[in-house]
Structures are given as structure tokens and as C-alpha cells.
Amino acid sequence: MYCSSAPGKVILSGEHAVVYGNPCLVAAIDLRSEASVEVTNEEMIEIISDKLGRQTFNLEPEISGSELGLFPIAAVAGSVLKKAGRRRGLRIRVSSQIPFGSGLGSSASVLVAVASACSNAFELDLNLEEIAMLAGEGERKIHFKPSGVDVNVALNGGVMIFRRGRSIERVNYPDGMRLVIGFSGLSRKTGEMVKKVAELAESSKDRFEICLMALKDITMRMSKALASSDLLELGRMMLLNHMLLCLLGVSSETLDKLVNSAISSNAFGAKLTGAGGGGSIVAICSSKDEDSVAQKIKESGGIPLIVSISRDGVRNWKM
Ligand code: MEV
């Protein structure tokens, strides 16, 4: 059996702006998704997911009905079979520590793990770029115009500046750095939020351009602040960042409340992370305040998660 795992992510700055070619500061976190793959003699792709149950597909998977279900995973597996030139069945088990629809990159981490484990099962020896292409195909079935940031950070780990179509730039960060996340418990659809921003880009061109310019500047400042361990500056920039995301129309009362609760309990800064709408916020604070920030998030109706930044991207092993 061939196994792979890949991390989820937190976008520290530049979500949505990245769809328009701007830089995005993103960190891999120590919540991971795992895929294990067996080659079978049955002419089908069988997928067993801890969250979505079991579904089977033929070797050239097609979507059945209106629900995506596990189709994006089957599509990735189907592409690997095509690449390998093989007509063999696959049994794929997937599980994830990342809450579904939380804005923490659960789908990309699952798809990267699946692409990697399937290609190892056929000894395809693909490089990271090729795995990214395969997982990206699955992401395109789920989201509208994905920038590729989630897939790239799941593959490479660590903290990076990601720009569409450019090579990643690694960013240093304080050793053992932790983040406090507040999941609203409301899952959201990334594609819908990306479309909402695209509508604003059409209807309020000037406001949109101003937001993009400011977000780009903030992303670069945050990357410098992180590299020099200036968490106060990082936090200040996160708050401004959140306000710009409010102007882009992707925050919500629930997310604002969670950001406010983190700030009021001594966090250096907090902002929504990922597509917004529902999903999560991320807060930065000193380690002595982590528990009280998490507690305040809980009292405000959120689900707190204290996570570390993960240096590791995709991991592979055989059982
Ligand atoms: C989703 O994690 C981040 C967005 O910028 C969409 C994307 O980059 O594909 C909202």
C-alpha cells in the first residue's frame, strides 16, 4: 500500500488578491490529510473517505448527479491511470485532520496526498510540479479559477510568497511559531466567494484596484515582519488586512466577531483567512496568551485550534 500525507494551510495575507496575480503569504500547518492507495484487479476506482463515505467510479471518472462528492479525487486518480497507461483498479482511502470548508486547505491537501500516493503506486517518479498539475486539475473541479496557492503550500510546506505562474519564494519564520485559528463552524464554498469578488472587480473597479494595491503592500510588509520575528508589526498589518477583506465583501458578522474577540484578549492581530464568507480567522499572539485567545474565540461561538507551522510538505511512505 502506498501512502502520502500533505499539510493544510493558513493564508496570512493576499487571499483573493492572489487570484489576480498578486503575491500571497501562506503557511503550511501541522494539520494533515492522508491518502493510502492499493492497486486492485477490479475495473473501478473505489474511494473511501472518513468524511464523505464511499463512492465508486469507472476508470475514466465522470460526475454523477449534481453533487461533486468524491469526484475530484476520482478525477485525479483517473489522470494518474492515464499517465501510467494502465487499466487497473484503485482503492483509495482518504482522511483529514482539517475541518471541511474551514478555509484551511482541506481539499488541496487531500488532492496532493492522492496525486502523490497514486503516482507512487505506479512508480511514476513525478516531480513536485507534475504532482501540483495533477492535484490542480482536481482543485479546478471544486473551485472557480483556483490560483494554485493551496496546492503549492501543501506540496512544499513551510512559509512562502506565492504568485500565480511564478516560482515560490521561501520566507523565514520564528522557530516553533504557532497560530491560533478560530473556525466559525460555517463551511463556505471558495468558488462562490471568488465569484463575489469578481463581481466587485467589475462593478467597483477603482475600489477594487485600491484594495489590491494596499493588500500587495501589506503582504510584502508582513513577509518582512515575519522573517524578522516582528510579531507586533505582523499583527498590526493583519488587522488592516482584515479591513481590506471587509471592503472586498468577503467577511461576515461571525468572522468580525471572532477577529474582535482575539484582539480583545491580547492577540497582536487577527484576520479572516482563506476565501471568507464562513471558514476561519487566524490570530497571532505571544505564547503566554494562546490559551486565553483560544478561550475567547470559544466564548464567541468559534472552534479554536492552536496549530504550529509545518516545515514539511508532502510525505510519502509504503506499508
Ligand atoms: C483560497 O484558499 C484562497 C483564494 O485566494 C482562492 C485561490 O487562491 O484560489 C480565495
Side-chain angles (χ1 to χ4, degrees):
M1 188 146 60
Y2 292 81
C3 305
S4 300
S5 75
K9 62 88 183 43
V10 162
I11 295 187
L12 294 170
S13 181
E15 50 272 269
H16 290 289
V18 66
V19 174
Y20 300 85
N22 289 285
C24 173
L25 179 64
V26 60
I29 56 175
D30 62 351
L31 297 177
R32 301 181 73 86
S33 301
E34 196 173 307
S36 60
V37 172
E38 286 167 79
V39 179
T40 67
N41 288 324
E42 290 156 60
E43 280 237 340
M44 67 172 182
I45 299 170
E46 178 186 9
I47 304 170
I48 303 148
S49 149
D50 64 337
K51 296 202 172 77
L52 298 175
R54 177 183 175 276
Q55 237 182 311
T56 56
F57 297 85
N58 65 33
L59 298 187
E60 282 157 31
E62 279 161 24
I63 189 160
S64 65
S66 57
E67 283 292 310
L68 265 184
L70 297 168
F71 171 67
I73 295 176
V76 170
S79 298
V80 174
L81 284 172
K82 213 165 170 186
K83 238 185 185 359
R86 305 285 287 275
R87 285 197 67 79
R88 298 288 301 275
L90 289 172
R91 181 170 302 118
I92 304 171
R93 286 191 168 77
V94 293
S95 60
S96 183
Q97 302 170 322
I98 307 160
F100 195 63
S102 58
L104 303 175
S106 66
S107 62
S109 67
V110 166
L111 293 171
V112 164
V114 167
S116 194
C118 288
S119 65
N120 291 340
F122 294 112
E123 294 176 350
L124 283 183
D125 201 20
L126 302 182
N127 59 33
L128 291 187
E129 217 168 290
E130 289 168 305
I131 302 282
M133 295 271 278
L134 283 167
E137 267 179 46
E139 277 276 276
R140 279 191 287 282
K141 309 263 187 270
I142 305 173
H143 306 317
F144 174 65
K145 288 201 208 162
S147 63
V149 59
D150 293 12
V151 160
N152 266 279
V153 73
L155 268 172
N156 292 289
V159 182
M160 64 178 73
I161 289 278
F162 172 87
R163 287 185 189 82
R164 209 171 192 150
R166 299 253 293 268
S167 37
I168 60 168
E169 280 169 42
R170 293 261 179 211
V171 175
N172 283 332
Y173 56 93
D175 241 0
M177 181 166 168
R178 286 200 295 256
L179 308 163
V180 183
I181 289 168
F183 176 34
S184 63
L186 307 167
S187 69
R188 54 86 199 99
K189 290 215 161 84
T190 300
E192 281 170 18
M193 300 312 291
V194 172
K195 274 189 189 147
K196 190 171 175 197
V197 173
E199 279 159 24
L200 181 88
E202 270 297 304
S203 63
S204 309
K205 269 201 175 82
D206 292 319
R207 178 190 291 184
F208 181 69
E209 285 305 325
I210 294 165
C211 283
L212 286 193
M213 264 189 290
L215 279 169
K216 184 174 174 185
D217 186 49
I218 286 175
T219 299
M220 300 324 284
R221 282 171 194 261
M222 282 180 65
S223 141
K224 281 203 190 102
L226 188 61
S228 57
S229 304
D230 187 349
L231 299 189
L232 265 175
E233 170 75 354
L234 191 70
R236 269 197 293 270
M237 291 293 133
M238 284 169 85
L239 218 47
L240 288 176
N241 206 315
H242 183 74
M243 285 171 63
L244 288 162
L245 290 165
C246 290
L247 276 178
L248 287 184
V250 296
S251 191
S252 67
E253 264 178 46
T254 310
L255 293 174
D256 292 346
K257 187 171 177 187
L258 293 179
V259 167
N260 207 11
S261 70
I263 301 299
S264 67
S265 50
N266 264 353
F268 299 133
K271 64 178 275 289
L272 74 83
T273 182
S280 303
I281 65 133
V282 56
I284 304 268
C285 59
S286 71
S287 48
K288 70 172 177 35
D289 291 325
E290 276 169 5
D291 289 338
S292 59
V293 171
Q295 180 58 29
K296 201 69 192 271
I297 286 173
K298 197 169 171 187
E299 284 164 17
S300 305
I303 302 160
L305 301 160
I306 300 175
V307 299
S308 296
I309 294 179
S310 165
R311 290 214 182 265
D312 283 1
V314 68
R315 292 183 196 141
N316 300 300
W317 66 101
K318 210 171 147 181
M319 275 191 350

